[in-house]
Amino acid sequence: PSTHTCMSCHSQIATYSELLAPVRESYATGEPLEWLKVHDLAEHVYFNHSVHVQNGFACETCHGRVDQMPQVWQANNMTMAWCLECHFEPEKFIRPIETRYEFGWEGPEGQERIELGEQLIEEYQVDVIGLSSCSTCHR
């Protein structure tokens, strides 16, 4: 990501944090940051952020409550088993697209949550058959 992406929030959030000094400096000078990857998937795994975000899967589902992290850490282990939980039951994780960037979103619980999820999967035309195909992630 570029520092323009970071500064879209951090120009107003934690603006004086010493941890963000390198981001502010990079933004001001145009010199690229040296990124230390926090979320680094295995090389044999294909992952596309946009297909998730454009279909109602929120950032916090995978990345956790980064809005409450003084420094970003890996909130989930991102193993194949962890990913498959969502791929096999996406109705439990999908949410209205307008809430995908909202931290702490609480939708309905129980059966109402499942019904909302099933409705959104249909509305967003999520390819549930493709979600269970090995070649979706292993290319």
Side-chain angles (χ1 to χ4, degrees):
S2 76
T3 53
H4 290 284
T5 302
C6 302
M7 291 303 288
S8 64
C9 290
H10 286 303
S11 63
Q12 298 184 31
I13 299 169
T15 55
Y16 298 104
S17 167
E18 281 304 308
L19 291 171
L20 295 173
V23 175
R24 290 191 301 271
E25 184 176 329
S26 171
Y27 183 71
T29 65
E31 289 293 318
L33 278 174
E34 183 179 329
W35 290 101
L36 301 174
K37 287 190 97 167
V38 175
H39 300 89
D40 196 11
L41 299 177
E43 286 186 31
H44 62 274
V45 176
Y46 172 78
F47 180 83
N48 182 328
H49 269 102
S50 65
V51 77
H52 290 82
V53 175
Q54 291 173 1
N55 285 293
F57 295 94
C59 304
E60 76 175 321
T61 302
C62 301
H63 296 287
R65 294 292 307 266
V66 295
D67 63 320
Q68 297 176 347
M69 296 178 187
Q71 186 170 356
V72 177
W73 63 80
Q74 188 170 331
N76 295 296
N77 64 22
M78 301 202 180
T79 62
M80 182 174 161
W82 180 82
C83 294
L84 287 176
E85 282 183 51
C86 188
H87 276 228
F88 289 157
E89 297 182 294
E91 66 278 2
K92 292 182 176 180
F93 301 94
I94 195 169
R95 60 162 85 171
I97 285 181
E98 64 272 10
T99 69
R100 64 191 165 200
Y101 301 121
E102 184 179 317
F103 289 103
W105 180 79
E106 293 183 23
E109 293 188 25
Q111 186 58 36
E112 289 180 23
R113 178 72 180 97
I114 299 301
E115 289 170 7
L116 172 63
E118 289 170 347
Q119 174 190 336
L120 294 173
I121 286 169
E122 187 175 329
E123 182 180 334
Y124 302 154
Q125 300 176 356
V126 174
D127 177 14
V128 291
I129 294 171
L131 289 176
S132 61
S133 171
C134 299
S135 64
T136 298
C137 305
H138 298 280
R139 297 182 179 187

